[in-house]
Amino acid sequence: MAKNTNPDCKQCRREGCKLFLKGERCLTKCSFDKRPVIPGQHGAGRKKVSEYGIQLREKNKVRRAYGLLEKQFRIYYEKATRSKEATGWALLKMLELRLDNVVYRLGLGVSRSEARQIVNHGHITVNGKKVNIPSYQVKVGDVIAVKDSKQSLEMFASLKGTKVNTPKWLEFSTDSLTGKVLALPERDDIDLGIQEHLIVEFYSR
């Protein structure tokens, strides 16, 4: 499976914002706080950005935040253009409803990359059936849970009885390590300060 192997912190510096690719570590030990400039010898001297550059950075910011390669992201965009909803919002909603993102939002992984690994390793069930496809699109009413045989693993056992903050469209029980999709996400549920109209403008050129 193809994946982005670029250093996480360099990706944040390149996009000019924290993408939280390392989870809680981004709140404490973060190189972006120390060097908030573009990587490279002349990074600190680059100031003027074209309209195309602004659109490109916004597209790459979202793509990297959700851990997708360019081809994968383009496929999502093409699907969004066929939606009856606004293209930008349809794109973001599909990204939020990916199983790996939902596992991350439920607090089962400290980052989206860890959540993707959890799904790939077959630790997650959807409606009682094992699903190991990170891009699986969850639906309202779906029940996402950690497999009974995996709940004794340290990464999951440590969550038992703790308090986890989840978006209002999800609910999660740390006692049973089971979550449920209560509703579709709304625009204000998505953080990162995304300007999706710039992504649409980029692909519409």
Side-chain angles (χ1 to χ4, degrees):
M1 182 181 68
K3 64 178 181 179
N4 191 340
T5 57
N6 292 324
D8 293 336
C9 293
K10 278 193 175 182
Q11 293 186 58
C12 294
R13 288 172 56 200
R14 185 63 191 90
E15 302 311 327
C17 66
K18 289 187 179 184
L19 302 177
F20 297 97
L21 302 178
K22 291 185 175 180
E24 293 296 322
R25 183 177 177 181
C26 296
L27 300 175
T28 54
K29 299 179 180 179
C30 181
S31 65
F32 180 78
D33 292 331
K34 299 177 182 178
R35 301 184 63 192
V37 296
I38 298 173
Q41 182 179 0
H42 306 291
R46 300 178 186 175
K47 295 182 179 179
K48 187 176 181 180
V49 182
S50 66
E51 181 181 354
Y52 171 82
I54 294 173
Q55 296 167 356
L56 175 64
R57 295 273 62 83
E58 193 68 19
K59 184 264 294 182
N60 281 345
K61 178 178 79 174
V62 176
R63 179 177 65 79
R64 285 172 167 162
Y66 285 95
L68 303 179
L69 298 179
E70 177 59 36
K71 184 177 180 180
Q72 296 170 315
F73 193 79
R74 183 62 186 255
I75 290 173
Y76 276 110
Y77 177 78
E78 291 174 352
K79 288 180 179 179
T81 60
R82 298 191 290 270
S83 171
K84 295 181 180 179
E85 298 179 291
T87 299
W89 167 234
L91 171 64
L92 294 182
K93 187 159 65 173
M94 283 190 289
L95 296 177
E96 276 293 298
L97 291 173
R98 282 174 56 98
L99 179 58
D100 57 356
N101 180 73
V102 172
V103 169
Y104 164 67
R105 294 290 195 185
L106 291 174
L108 292 171
V110 298
S111 64
R112 288 186 177 89
S113 60
E114 183 177 81
R116 184 176 302 108
Q117 190 175 40
I118 290 171
V119 175
N120 276 329
H121 288 179
H123 297 338
I124 300 298
T125 64
V126 179
N127 299 327
K129 296 182 179 180
K130 185 181 78 171
V131 178
N132 59 3
I133 303 173
S135 61
Y136 178 88
Q137 290 280 296
V138 303
K139 301 179 291 295
V140 176
D142 280 353
V143 176
I144 295 92
V146 177
K147 286 180 66 176
D148 291 340
S149 60
K150 303 297 181 181
Q151 293 193 11
S152 60
L153 294 176
E154 175 60 28
M155 64 187 306
F156 300 129
S158 61
L159 288 173
K160 293 261 186 173
T162 62
K163 182 178 180 181
V164 177
N165 293 322
T166 60
K168 60 179 181 292
W169 56 282
L170 296 171
E171 71 173 7
F172 183 64
S173 169
T174 56
D175 293 327
S176 60
L177 297 181
T178 301
K180 186 176 182 179
V181 182
L182 301 177
L184 293 175
E186 297 180 1
R187 183 61 187 86
D188 58 4
D189 293 320
I190 301 177
D191 43 19
L192 293 176
I194 297 171
Q195 301 180 66
E196 61 268 26
H197 69 277
L198 294 176
I199 301 174
V200 177
E201 291 172 4
F202 174 83
Y203 283 120
S204 300
R205 296 178 69 89

